[in-house]
Amino acid sequence: MVMALQIGGGAIVLLALLQALVGLAGQVGAAIRNRRMDERRVSAFKAQTDMLIERAQTERARSQLTWSGKRKFRLVSREVENACGDICSFYLEPHDGGALPPYLPGQFLTFELQIPDQPQPVVRCYSLSDTPTEEGHYRVTIKRLGQHPAKPDAPPGLSSCYFHDVLKPGDVLDVLAPNGGFHLNVQSDRPVVLIAGGVGVTPVLSMLKWLAATGSHREVWFFYAARCGEDIALRTEIDAIIADNSSFHGVTIFSAPTPECEKAKAFDRKGHLTVDLLKETLGTSNYEFYVCGPPPMMEAVTTALEEWGVPEEDIHFEAFGPASVKQVSHDEAAAGEGAARVTFSRSGKTLDWTPEAGTLLELADASGIRVNAGCRAGNCGTCATAVKEGKVRYLTKPASKPAEGTALLCISCPEGNLVLDA
């Protein structure tokens, strides 16, 4: 009897792995009986069998150790990860001292934060930045979003400032089990391209570390785009992994390198990451691509990959940071174009929406309407809300298609009048 897993699709994965093992065993047995298998083929079959066994064991461990609802975690340490000091890694251990489930490289943790002066718990998602093979702790790496010099009216990041400025070792947090559809296909042996923009490095670094920790011989390209050397995070860790694996390659791109960056030759390319750079470096599009960065970068890169001819199933992406509504011109605003009436039926409120109001989630927040939300970037699905009447327009591509009749409020705005079940 195959145990059903609590993580989505786990039972199917485990069944497939067991079936593959049975098939391999049959092939090996038949070949040995026919005495047609040489040592090299026996070794290859054994390696493949060992890999399938390891994957089956990982799936079983995940099913046995995962938890439902919230679990208490203790912050045990923190470590600054960049020259600016605004990116830190936070190490967490289960408060109950129990074991941790392995997770798929690229997944995230969801935190329910009790932030002072907030009427409700603040829910946020942060990617796991370590390898799933590390036991005993989880690691998330978070950038502190302070006051933006170009946006003085915008408030600083509520949750990121709480992590950086308030939390200290020994504090306890409420955490939901690892989740997320943006993760490495651990069953594939195809070459892979990992693309990171800014602090979007965290989930793709988890993928890189897993590939290294499991002794993968897949060809791996790691493209890391940042503003300059002060912004780049976890550089020493990344460089060490690439240096220790002959099939791994790294390309660093700085859009605004400082004189110190130039002098130290701390980057490979100047400018922005483009598909032309990918074409020049890779030569072919026959890779699996994993992209994580701010919405504009993610949108540009995934669109360019599609135009290059990369199949949709080979492009995996995750954005971070909130989407923003492009401001309409004064003429459009004067003509009333872009305005809409949004009714939140359960809350009994009807509001006038304009592009200045931002996303539907921002509109709800500003009006005191409670909508659960996590990543605020269209990844986690926490803010999915039923659309009773009307349509929405997405400001950036959702990481996964929401269920029919629902909308992700964190990255959408109305197309005309709208009624939401919220």
Side-chain angles (χ1 to χ4, degrees):
M1 177 178 179
V2 178
M3 182 181 297
L5 303 185
Q6 295 182 39
I7 287 186
I12 296 173
V13 172
L14 182 53
L15 180 58
L17 291 171
L18 292 174
Q19 289 172 339
L21 281 170
V22 171
L24 276 173
Q27 293 178 49
V28 174
I32 291 175
R33 284 194 301 271
N34 296 330
R35 298 188 178 185
R36 294 176 180 172
M37 181 177 288
D38 58 22
E39 272 186 37
R40 192 171 177 182
R41 291 182 64 200
V42 170
S43 177
F45 272 118
K46 183 180 183 301
Q48 191 174 358
T49 302
D50 289 344
M51 179 180 65
L52 288 168
I53 290 172
E54 181 182 351
R55 290 173 182 170
Q57 290 172 338
T58 298
E59 291 297 336
R60 184 174 181 181
R62 184 181 293 116
S63 72
Q64 292 174 332
L65 298 176
T66 194
W67 68 93
S68 299
K70 295 177 287 186
R71 186 177 179 186
K72 301 290 185 182
F73 275 74
R74 184 178 65 259
L75 175 63
V76 293
S77 64
R78 54 183 285 168
E79 185 173 340
V80 176
E81 300 289 12
N82 67 334
C84 294
D86 61 354
I87 299 178
C88 282
S89 287
F90 297 85
Y91 291 81
L92 306 161
E93 292 181 355
H95 190 257
D96 58 17
L100 292 176
Y103 53 91
L104 294 170
Q107 290 190 308
F108 57 77
L109 291 178
T110 302
F111 295 85
E112 192 172 287
L113 305 172
Q114 307 295 331
I115 300 180
D117 300 326
Q118 293 300 309
Q120 301 285 345
V122 175
V123 180
R124 291 292 186 270
C125 303
Y126 291 107
S127 296
L128 289 148
S129 59
D130 220 335
T131 171
T133 59
E134 289 290 343
E135 297 182 0
H137 73 264
Y138 285 151
R139 183 181 79 174
V140 293
T141 304
I142 301 171
K143 181 172 183 176
R144 185 186 187 279
L145 300 177
Q147 201 77 43
H148 197 293
K151 301 176 182 178
D153 296 332
L158 186 62
S159 57
S160 66
C161 289
Y162 179 69
F163 267 92
H164 278 255
D165 303 340
V166 178
L167 290 180
K168 58 186 182 300
D171 287 345
V172 176
L173 297 164
D174 290 323
V175 184
L176 278 67
N179 204 349
F182 179 70
H183 56 75
L184 185 71
N185 179 1
V186 297
Q187 297 183 43
S188 174
D189 292 320
R190 291 182 58 202
V192 61
V193 174
L194 307 175
I195 299 174
V199 78
V201 68
T202 53
V204 292
L205 173 57
S206 178
M207 299 177 191
L208 181 73
K209 294 190 73 172
W210 183 89
L211 289 163
T214 56
S216 174
H217 295 292
R218 297 170 70 175
E219 180 187 353
V220 179
W221 284 89
F222 193 95
F223 291 85
Y224 193 174
R227 190 176 63 88
C228 64
E230 290 190 350
D231 289 342
I232 200 164
L234 300 153
R235 179 69 179 270
T236 302
E237 193 170 310
I238 294 166
D239 288 348
I241 293 170
I242 292 172
D244 288 343
N245 293 270
S246 60
S247 60
F248 293 9
H249 315 277
V251 179
T252 302
I253 307 103
F254 286 171
S255 61
T258 63
E260 290 76 17
C261 295
E262 300 271 8
K263 184 177 180 180
K265 298 181 180 179
F267 60 99
D268 300 300
R269 292 298 184 96
K270 181 178 180 179
H272 295 280
L273 190 148
T274 64
V275 74
D276 289 334
L277 173 59
L278 297 177
K279 289 178 179 178
E280 177 187 338
T281 306
L282 303 174
T284 175
S285 62
N286 188 24
Y287 290 82
E288 292 176 354
F289 292 84
Y290 295 85
V291 187
C292 185
M297 172 199 161
M298 184 272 298
E299 186 75 30
V301 171
T302 56
T303 299
L305 290 175
E306 290 171 358
E307 293 172 351
W308 189 16
V310 180
E312 184 179 353
E313 60 269 21
D314 287 343
I315 303 174
H316 312 272
F317 60 88
E318 183 172 76
F320 69 84
S324 59
V325 182
K326 294 179 180 178
Q327 298 297 309
V328 296
S329 69
H330 291 298
D331 291 340
E332 289 174 321
E337 294 182 18
R341 302 208 80 190
V342 180
T343 299
F344 295 85
S345 60
R346 274 194 285 162
S347 302
K349 292 186 178 182
T350 297
L351 307 171
D352 292 324
W353 179 91
T354 63
E356 288 77 13
T359 64
L360 286 165
L361 181 59
E362 290 172 320
L363 179 69
D365 286 345
S367 304
I369 298 170
R370 173 72 173 168
V371 176
N372 289 331
C375 66
R376 294 179 174 254
N379 303 321
C380 69
T382 306
C383 67
T385 302
V387 178
K388 300 176 76 172
E389 295 179 23
K391 295 181 179 180
V392 303
R393 174 171 61 88
Y394 285 109
L395 307 172
T396 187
K397 189 186 299 181
S400 59
K401 187 177 180 180
E404 190 68 29
T406 66
L408 302 178
L409 302 194
C410 68
I411 57 169
S412 63
C413 62
E415 280 197 344
N417 294 339
L418 186 67
V419 178
L420 298 170
D421 183 30

